[in-house]
Amino acid sequence: MNKKKLLYTIIFCITAFSSIKSSDKRKISYEEAIQIALGESYMVNYYKEEIDATRFSYLYTKSEFKPLLNFNLFTPSWSEELAQISQVDGLPVYNSVGSIQAGGNLNFTYVLPTGGNFAFSSRMYWENYKTTLSQMDYKEMERDQVYSRFALSFNQPVFTANLLKENMKVAELDYKKSTCYFTRVQMDIVYDVTSGFYEVYQLAYEHQTNQDRLANSKEALRITRLKQETGNLPEGDLLIAEITMAQDEARVMESQGKLDAAKDEFKLLIGIELHKEIELEAEMEFEALVVDIQLAIEEALRNRMEIEENNLDIQLQEIEVKRAKRKREFKGDISAYYDFTGLSTRDGGSVGQLVSSSFENMRDRPSNRGIALTLSYPIADWGRAKNQVRREQVRLKQRKLNLENTQRTIEREIREIVRTVYEAEKRFRINQRNREVALQSYRISQLRFENGDMTSQELAIEQERLSQVQLSYIGSYITYRLAVANLNRKTMYDFENKRSYLLERQNNISDNKTDFNK
């Protein structure tokens, strides 16, 4: 009685554990797998960081048009060294000179939209200056003084391009290229997830097929043993049935291992923790897809990121051509400055008195000022600039050729993909019908085997034929699904739901621009 209770307890625990384990299994549909991958996968997160890097690069270039305020202190700055003092009527002498300074600089630069700048700077420091006179028995002399300076300056390049705007344009084009590439990465991830999803689904289907095959072989073995006990079956048939069942058991174990490995790889792809159990759900039935090949080509030529990237490359190269041409252009620069400088002339006193003295000297001392117009033109460089321009122009032609070739390649690619979709759909329908016929044929073979009209070896051959038909069925289904996913990826258009991904991409870009201008 106790043994029975113990046996029931063990069975109950095993059943409960199995139910808990199955309840922890997460069921994931195809659409859910796509959403998880686009939010959690390594590739998406990596390229999100990459697009942020180019965005910050653009913002850095854009910020160069904004004012700049710098402040630095030197507290203290000390030095002692030997200095050569020249004499008019004799040889030079060498005195030891030393100083200690404490002060700072303040610089404010306002960048003009024209590419020039207007700057205000100030410098003030206290200095203890000391010298040792070698010709006066190394007599030491020292003095405290304060230096003050306030300056205004202006600089403006003329007769040339605004380099700040040009650099900002380059950074903006680079940012747009990164957004295009990120969109391509997302579409590639969708296709990779589709491929991984249906690979796992196919292996799960194969594993279930092998389990059904094992169940059939076990049933065939049971019937074979019953027939042998009644003496209606040769001994060799029992041995064949046992070998068939053993082979089917091996197939089940092998398919289980492949399925587990594929699940781990898929979880890594979409960004799910490896210890979590998953089960993929997919619908085998679908409506026949009608694809207008001309619409597919037009959508691809309008939406494909490679074309937009080629256009951006052309714009970037046009800037390089302009830069090369500027090597031989007439350039100018206007600069001006106006500053007040004061040096304390008071012999001794406190720091406050020295500062006041430096301001008094600033009022008495004439201001420093100046203005200059600098013009430059390279007279002869023996072909350097000309060859550089030609090199950049050739590269521009290459970029345009790349664009034309990309457009033709895309059109050929779309035509081939559309043909593949139609062929895969027809092949699936044929295999679907073959599977139904094969299932009916195998049921008839089972009845013939039970009635003794078929040997176990013949039944095993029918079982093998059924398994091959089932594998062809699931294989053709996966091929069709991948062909449709590839069509969506290459056109950025969902032909099943008849919607374009272009609007979604534009919304994402507009959302990025909101952060972009912060």
Side-chain angles (χ1 to χ4, degrees), residues 39-222:
E40 304 294 336
S41 68
Y42 161 77
M43 292 296 292
V44 165
N45 290 326
Y46 177 85
Y47 283 103
K48 280 182 180 178
E49 298 298 329
E50 183 68 22
I51 199 172
D52 280 343
T54 56
R55 180 170 67 90
F56 290 131
S57 176
Y58 170 79
L59 292 176
Y60 169 79
T61 307
K62 187 178 180 180
S63 66
E64 291 187 347
F65 280 93
K66 297 179 180 179
L68 182 65
L69 180 63
N70 288 326
F71 176 67
N72 67 289
L73 291 173
F74 43 94
T75 54
S77 175
W78 173 76
S79 66
E80 286 187 0
E81 59 186 9
L82 190 65
Q84 178 180 313
I85 309 298
S86 300
Q87 299 185 99
V88 177
D89 55 352
L91 296 173
V93 296
Y94 295 90
N95 296 336
S96 294
V97 179
S99 69
I100 181 170
Q101 295 180 351
N105 301 324
L106 181 66
N107 299 292
F108 176 78
T109 304
Y110 182 80
V111 181
L112 301 173
T114 56
N117 65 78
F118 181 80
F120 168 78
S121 63
S122 66
R123 178 179 177 88
M124 180 178 289
Y125 63 86
W126 164 85
E127 180 179 34
N128 176 263
Y129 189 81
K130 181 175 66 174
T131 182
T132 302
L133 305 175
S134 60
Q135 288 188 328
M136 299 178 66
D137 296 329
Y138 297 101
K139 177 183 177 180
E140 290 188 355
M141 299 179 64
E142 65 177 306
R143 181 180 66 189
D144 288 340
Q145 61 186 23
V146 170
Y147 175 86
S148 302
R149 178 177 179 270
F150 299 94
L152 298 172
S153 64
F154 170 77
N155 183 269
Q156 176 62 57
V158 293
F159 311 123
T160 188
N162 189 331
L163 295 182
L164 287 178
K165 285 188 176 180
E166 185 178 75
N167 291 337
M168 188 174 70
K169 182 65 175 178
V170 171
E172 183 180 2
L173 292 174
D174 286 336
Y175 174 74
K176 289 181 178 179
K177 279 188 65 177
S178 68
T179 59
C180 291
Y181 187 71
F182 180 65
T183 303
R184 277 207 293 146
V185 167
Q186 287 180 309
M187 297 304 295
D188 289 340
I189 288 174
V190 170
Y191 180 79
D192 291 340
V193 172
T194 303
S195 178
F197 180 91
Y198 285 112
E199 179 184 359
V200 174
Y201 189 79
Q202 182 176 14
L203 290 174
Y205 187 91
E206 291 180 10
H207 181 61
Q208 183 62 47
T209 300
N210 289 333
Q211 287 180 323
D212 294 340
R213 180 172 179 170
L214 176 61
N216 291 335
S217 62
K218 286 182 177 180
E219 178 65 16
L221 178 60
R222 185 187 67 82

Side-chain angles (χ1 to χ4, degrees), residues 185-412:
V185 167
Q186 287 180 309
M187 297 304 295
D188 289 340
I189 288 174
V190 170
Y191 180 79
D192 291 340
V193 172
T194 303
S195 178
F197 180 91
Y198 285 112
E199 179 184 359
V200 174
Y201 189 79
Q202 182 176 14
L203 290 174
Y205 187 91
E206 291 180 10
H207 181 61
Q208 183 62 47
T209 300
N210 289 333
Q211 287 180 323
D212 294 340
R213 180 172 179 170
L214 176 61
N216 291 335
S217 62
K218 286 182 177 180
E219 178 65 16
L221 178 60
R222 185 187 67 82
I223 295 174
T224 302
R225 285 173 176 169
L226 290 175
K227 289 183 177 181
Q228 190 181 37
E229 290 176 0
T230 59
N232 295 327
L233 193 73
E235 293 183 1
D237 282 1
L238 178 61
L239 182 60
I240 292 174
E242 290 176 348
I243 293 174
T244 301
M245 190 190 74
Q247 291 175 340
D248 291 339
E249 286 179 341
R251 286 192 182 93
V252 170
M253 293 177 59
E254 182 181 0
S255 61
Q256 181 66 58
K258 290 181 178 179
L259 177 60
D260 292 339
K263 281 185 177 180
D264 286 344
E265 187 173 350
F266 181 70
K267 286 184 281 188
L268 184 64
L269 174 64
I270 66 175
I272 291 181
E273 296 179 359
L274 295 178
H275 68 271
K276 292 185 177 180
E277 291 292 328
I278 63 172
E279 181 180 351
L280 304 186
E281 297 177 324
E283 296 182 0
M284 297 293 291
E285 293 297 328
F286 55 87
E287 295 182 2
L289 192 63
V290 178
V291 180
D292 184 344
I293 190 169
Q294 191 59 38
L295 173 63
I297 293 173
E298 291 174 359
E299 289 291 335
L301 294 177
R302 178 165 55 247
N303 300 340
R304 285 283 285 271
M305 293 297 100
E306 294 93 322
I307 294 177
E308 190 166 350
E309 288 177 32
N310 285 337
N311 284 322
L312 293 173
D313 284 334
I314 289 174
Q315 295 182 52
L316 287 169
Q317 190 57 37
E318 287 174 345
I319 293 176
E320 293 300 323
V321 172
K322 293 178 181 177
R323 287 176 174 176
K325 289 180 178 180
R326 287 204 298 270
K327 298 289 185 181
R328 292 284 301 166
E329 74 176 1
F330 182 75
K331 298 178 183 178
D333 188 83
I334 299 174
S335 60
Y337 68 93
Y338 192 96
D339 69 61
F340 302 91
T341 303
L343 183 64
S344 60
T345 57
R346 186 186 184 95
D347 189 10
S350 64
V351 175
Q353 292 172 333
L354 292 173
V355 172
S356 178
S357 175
S358 70
F359 287 157
E360 291 174 1
N361 182 253
M362 188 182 297
R363 289 193 297 268
D364 298 335
R365 187 187 299 274
S367 60
N368 303 318
R369 53 197 170 187
I371 186 170
L373 172 61
T374 305
L375 302 175
S376 64
Y377 181 77
I379 296 176
D381 63 356
W382 282 267
R384 292 182 179 87
K386 184 185 295 184
N387 290 326
Q388 187 173 358
V389 171
R390 289 175 177 173
R391 180 189 65 187
E392 300 304 332
Q393 288 175 338
V394 168
R395 289 178 176 172
L396 178 60
K397 290 181 181 179
Q398 289 177 323
R399 301 291 187 272
K400 292 179 178 179
L401 287 173
N402 285 340
L403 175 60
E404 294 175 2
N405 183 65
T406 299
Q407 291 172 331
R408 289 195 295 267
T409 301
I410 287 175
E411 183 175 355
R412 180 203 60 78

Side-chain angles (χ1 to χ4, degrees), residues 452-504:
D453 298 331
M454 178 179 287
T455 65
S456 58
Q457 186 174 7
E458 291 173 334
L459 182 64
I461 293 174
E462 290 297 322
Q463 175 68 68
E464 178 66 25
R465 184 180 293 110
L466 173 63
S467 298
Q468 293 299 323
V469 170
Q470 288 176 320
L471 294 180
S472 298
Y473 165 73
I474 190 63
S476 61
Y477 173 76
I478 303 304
T479 300
Y480 172 76
R481 282 300 182 188
L482 291 180
V484 173
N486 195 30
L487 178 64
N488 293 341
R489 173 177 64 158
K490 296 299 185 179
T491 60
M492 292 191 66
Y493 186 87
D494 187 353
F495 284 91
E496 290 180 302
N497 298 311
K498 301 197 181 304
R499 60 186 179 92
S500 174
Y501 295 122
L502 181 61
L503 182 59
E504 296 179 9

